[in-house]
Amino acid sequence: MNSKKPVRYGMTLRVRPERFEEYKRHHAAVWPGVLAMITACHIRDYTIYHRDGVLFSHFEYWGDDFAADMKRMAADPTTQKWWALMEPMQEPYPDRASGEWWSRMEEVFHQD
């Protein structure tokens, strides 16, 4: 049995209101190669929520090197095509950290 605990990530990003329905349609049928890469990069329990033009994502990272797994994901041609399709629908926060698209949030509370 794996006794390792995941690192939880909460991230936020704006979605362009005029593109939200399109964004939802794409996420109702995420490409299998994108889903496989998410899994291969040790991400589990990945969810995206929406409210008033804001997207909130939550996932658990079960790997040992998040930066390396994110580089692996970013190098994947299918994921690159997916991101190129998604990015015009999204609006990152202007004060996001260098290298971020989705802005990481501070975890304030969690209960298992």
Side-chain angles (χ1 to χ4, degrees):
M1 179 172 192
N2 185 355
S3 62
K4 179 180 177 179
K5 294 205 178 247
V7 177
R8 291 179 301 276
Y9 285 82
M11 303 177 104
T12 189
L13 177 77
R14 294 185 186 115
V15 63
R16 298 184 189 283
E18 70 277 10
R19 307 286 301 269
F20 179 58
E21 291 304 318
E22 179 183 4
Y23 187 86
K24 280 196 330 186
R25 278 194 307 277
H26 284 294
H27 281 80
V30 177
W31 303 341
V34 171
L35 297 174
M37 181 54 58
I38 290 169
T39 300
C41 291
H42 307 105
I43 291 174
R44 307 289 182 271
D45 196 22
Y46 188 12
T47 306
I48 299 175
Y49 299 90
H50 172 259
R51 180 175 174 138
D52 297 330
V54 174
L55 298 174
F56 164 72
S57 73
H58 173 268
F59 59 87
E60 295 177 346
Y61 176 70
W62 288 84
D64 296 317
D65 190 340
F66 185 73
D69 280 327
M70 293 306 96
K71 285 181 184 177
R72 177 182 178 195
M73 186 179 294
D76 175 59
T78 302
T79 300
Q80 290 173 2
K81 289 176 188 173
W82 177 260
W83 287 350
L85 182 63
M86 293 300 111
E87 285 181 6
M89 299 179 216
Q90 301 169 340
E91 184 179 352
Y93 288 98
D95 63 346
R96 68 192 183 274
S98 177
E100 277 187 342
W101 186 256
W102 285 76
S103 296
R104 184 142 184 218
M105 301 172 75
E106 176 185 1
E107 184 176 296
V108 177
F109 174 79
H110 175 80
Q111 178 185 359
D112 279 326

